[in-house]
């Protein structure tokens, strides 16, 4: 284990009867970083987090915090902070009392509690609201109190399970920046559970994409997005155009959807290849001229999405639909093309990525 690893899951597994929720999962979280567990519903994110917290006992494997094996320890002996989707504040206690709760339990003096509460209110930008009750606060403010309450004890690791899931989109986005900023300022090691890819991209140093109780890929957001290793990752994080086919003659091309596609690397002849191309890499109209991979398609849809325009293009004998995104240009993001016409589309070979099928 590297010296800077603050949290480590070592072949952690969880079975519920015949259901395996988490399979031999390995994960290392470097000190001071935020790692997101990102994946679809039921993939084992919460179960993983609960094993770190101590609410679930792994069927096998170990949880290490620093170099301490905490697997046998109950939650209250792990010194972790936790925030869940439903704020779970004490409704009949004031904001200050909620924040001070852990300190009071630990037998800290009243004066010490007051200093800490003021500091925490400041941290989460709720100065002067210590005497209010949770019901008098907005959802976002309540979640900041929950964050303050979990940070007041200087936990070794902060665990967040869909902390913003109950908030509306605009508030969620601003809270993502806010929590991330706080996390970085404090340098607190954090494990975040989310099924929201934008949230994971906004907040994380590293994303662990999960499916079926496994981590399929761990990497920085840009790495996961630009170099997905598997088809699942390519399609779960963002949108991908997928082509599949058998490698021909030189191992450098496949035939799919009635076109010859050049591969970005050589593969064994005859092997099944799956290729992912991001919609923003697909060029259309005259921009596709001269590209190695080019086909004529039918533009069946053009959708204005603010920062970009999304084009739907049907290609090949099966009229399979592809996506091409183009930045919006000109006044009010005028769509450059309208639906119902035929046009060329293509991509540069280096803009495609070979992925494995999982
Ligand atoms: N206490 C339990 N008893 C039996 N099965 C469970 C239990 N907790 C979780 N599971 C199962 O384990 C799997 C993983 O569940 P988990 O709650 O970890 O998923 P998740 O990734 O957090 O999903 P979501 O995004 O919906 O919260 C699911 O198939 C779930 O049904
Ligand atoms: Mg969950």
């Amino acid at each position: 284990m590297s010296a800077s690893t603050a949290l480590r899951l070592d072949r952690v597994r969880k079975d519920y009867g015949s259901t395996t929720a988490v399979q031999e999962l390995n994960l290392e979280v470097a000190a001071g970083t935020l790692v997101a567990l990102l994946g679809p519903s039921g993939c084992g994110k919460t179960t993983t987090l609960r094993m770190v917290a101590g609410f679930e006992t792994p069927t096998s494997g170990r949880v290490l915090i620093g170099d301490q094996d905490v697997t046998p320890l109950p939650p209250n002996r792990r010194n972790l902070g936790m925030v869940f989707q439903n704020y779970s504040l004490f409704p009949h206690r004031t904001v200050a009392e909620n924040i001070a709760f852990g300190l009071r339990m630990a037998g800290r003096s009243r004066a010490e509690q007051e200093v800490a509460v003021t500091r925490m209110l400041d941290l989460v930008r709720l100065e002067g609201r210590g005497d209010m009750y949770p019901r008098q606060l907005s959802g976002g403010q309540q979640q900041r109190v929950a964050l303050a309450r979990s940070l007041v004890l200087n936990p070794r690791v902060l665990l967040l399970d869909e902390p913003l899931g109950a908030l509306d989109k605009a508030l969620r986005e601003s809270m993502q920046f806010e929590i991330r900023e706080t996390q970085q300022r404090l340098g607190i090691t954090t494990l975040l559970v989310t099924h929201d890819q934008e949230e994971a991209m906004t907040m994380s140093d590293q994303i662990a994409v999960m499916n079926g109780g496994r981590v399929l890929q761990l990497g920085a957001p840009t790495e996961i997005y630009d170099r997905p290793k598997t088809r699942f990752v390519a399609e779960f994080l963002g949108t991908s155009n997928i082509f599949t086919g058998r490698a021909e003659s030189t191992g450098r091309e496949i035939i799919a959807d009635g076109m010859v596609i050049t591969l970005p690397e050589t593969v064994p002849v005859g092997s099944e290849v799956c290729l992912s191309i991001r919609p923003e890499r697909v060029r259309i109209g005259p921009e596709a001229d001269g590209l190695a991979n080019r086909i004529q398609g039918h533009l069946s849809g053009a959708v204005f999405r603010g920062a970009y325009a999304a084009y739907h293009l049907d290609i090949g004998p099966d009229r399979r639909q592809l996506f091409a995104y183009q930045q919006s240009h000109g006044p009010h993001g005028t769509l450059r093309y309208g639906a119902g016409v035929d046009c060329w589309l293509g991509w540069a070979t280096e803009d495609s990525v070979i992925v494995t099928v999982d």
Side-chain angles (χ1 to χ4, degrees), residues 45-46 161-162 193:
K45 306 181 295 293
T46 294
D161 191 352
E162 306 271 3
V193 159

Side-chain angles (χ1 to χ4, degrees), residues 132-342:
M132 296 178 86
Y133 286 88
R135 65 170 181 281
Q136 297 174 297
L137 301 177
S138 72
Q141 290 168 334
Q142 289 185 49
Q143 210 50 329
R144 287 194 222 142
V145 176
L147 187 65
R149 188 179 58 173
S150 65
L151 289 174
V152 76
L153 288 166
N154 292 320
R156 290 188 287 181
V157 176
L158 179 64
L159 304 176
L160 307 171
D161 191 352
E162 306 271 3
L164 309 175
L167 308 179
D168 66 52
K169 187 169 152 60
L171 185 55
R172 208 161 62 219
E173 283 177 6
S174 69
M175 288 287 291
Q176 286 164 4
F177 286 110
E178 199 173 306
I179 294 180
R180 171 62 162 163
E181 201 267 323
T182 304
Q183 179 267 330
Q184 287 183 310
R185 192 142 41 95
L186 299 178
I188 184 164
T189 308
T190 304
L191 191 60
L192 164 75
V193 159
T194 182
H195 64 269
D196 179 339
Q197 47 163 305
E198 286 181 15
E199 185 161 300
M201 298 233 248
T202 303
M203 296 180 68
S204 323
D205 294 293
Q206 302 253 295
I207 297 175
V209 182
M210 289 184 67
N211 194 31
R214 295 173 202 278
V215 173
L216 300 181
Q217 190 171 353
L218 172 71
T222 49
E223 196 178 322
I224 302 265
Y225 187 83
D226 290 335
R227 298 271 137 217
K229 284 190 183 146
T230 71
R231 178 173 180 167
F232 181 87
V233 173
E235 294 190 294
F236 191 78
L237 197 77
T239 302
S240 275
N241 296 302
I242 300 288
F243 293 85
T244 53
R246 197 174 291 279
E248 308 281 335
S249 57
T250 59
R252 204 57 206 255
E253 57 194 39
I254 60 172
I255 294 171
D257 297 292
M259 67 187 291
V260 178
I261 297 173
T262 307
L263 300 175
E265 55 197 284
T266 307
V267 300
V269 175
S271 58
E272 280 296 336
V273 178
C274 185
L275 206 60
S276 159
I277 297 114
R278 294 294 187 190
E280 66 273 23
R281 302 289 186 181
V282 175
R283 326 269 176 85
I284 59 179
E287 283 183 29
D289 288 353
L291 290 171
N293 312 287
R294 212 165 74 99
I295 189 173
Q296 199 162 32
H298 181 75
L299 217 160
S300 59
V303 182
F304 174 61
R305 290 213 181 138
Y308 67 98
Y311 295 103
H312 303 186
L313 298 135
D314 302 328
I315 61 156
D318 301 331
R319 315 300 289 160
R320 198 162 72 89
Q321 192 171 68
L322 295 191
F323 296 97
Y325 296 166
Q326 289 206 337
Q327 236 181 312
S328 293
H329 295 290
H332 313 300
T334 317
L335 291 170
R336 241 190 280 177
Y337 305 97
V341 297
D342 289 336

Side-chain angles (χ1 to χ4, degrees), residues 120-133:
M120 294 317 298
L121 285 173
D122 208 47
L123 179 75
V124 298
R125 305 202 330 225
L126 287 173
E127 302 90 343
R129 307 211 187 209
D131 293 332
M132 296 178 86
Y133 286 88

Side-chain angles (χ1 to χ4, degrees), residues 16 21 40-47:
Y16 293 108
S41 184
C43 73
K45 306 181 295 293
T46 294
T47 304

